[in-house]
Amino acid sequence: MALRVTSYRPLVRCSDEQTTSPAPEACHTIVDRMPAQRPPGVQGKMTFGQPGDPDVQVGLPYRITESTGQCQAVVAIVRGLSDKAIWYEIWEGVVAVVGMCVRYGRSGLAFHRGTWGYLTVTVSSGGGPGGAISEV
């Protein structure tokens, strides 16, 4: 068994505003309860993209909201029609934004997620335009 240790350089941008910052405790609930592994029976990466496409397994935008509505994570696509990812990559983006932005009273964006880097994850206070919703 080989082990390679490298530094992790998250691609995260934090907002400049503290007025609309999500509640840290609520965002930690999302981190603790959102999917981070493949659903049973799914092999490899899942396809995230436009709803209605028969190849898409997760329609975007996909919003995960905490039950009090004080924090949400929104998975979106910035280029192209679809990208492939595993839920761990999305969870990793949420963890990075919570650790680097939310803890300092700011919302944030993790970008360059997925195989081609077309997926983003925004963590912010609850509300806003939807897409599929999963409450945790």
Side-chain angles (χ1 to χ4, degrees):
M1 177 161 92
L3 177 65
R4 181 177 177 199
V5 178
T6 62
S7 62
Y8 174 65
R9 293 177 32 167
L11 299 171
V12 171
R13 286 193 191 120
C14 299
S15 72
D16 293 332
E17 302 173 8
Q18 287 187 304
T19 56
T20 59
S21 65
E25 301 80 20
C27 293
H28 284 290
T29 299
I30 289 178
V31 168
D32 291 344
R33 296 185 182 168
M34 72 175 284
Q37 57 190 352
R38 291 180 188 95
V42 173
Q43 299 295 318
K45 294 188 173 195
M46 298 175 62
T47 302
F48 290 71
Q50 303 300 320
D53 181 333
D55 295 328
V56 168
Q57 295 164 299
V58 180
L60 299 178
Y62 187 87
R63 181 172 35 160
I64 303 166
T65 58
E66 187 269 338
S67 62
T68 66
Q70 296 179 1
C71 184
Q72 70 176 357
V74 179
V75 183
I77 194 159
V78 294
R79 191 175 336 148
L81 298 175
S82 66
D83 200 347
K84 293 186 176 287
I86 57 174
W87 276 109
Y88 180 79
E89 293 173 87
I90 306 303
W91 177 85
E92 179 183 59
V94 173
V95 169
V97 172
V98 169
M100 296 175 70
C101 305
V102 172
R103 71 187 285 194
Y104 297 109
R106 300 184 180 342
S107 57
L109 169 77
F111 55 97
H112 202 70
R113 309 272 102 198
T115 300
W116 299 288
Y118 296 165
L119 299 175
T120 63
V121 182
T122 303
V123 179
S124 63
S125 56
I133 299 175
S134 175
E135 186 174 292
V136 294

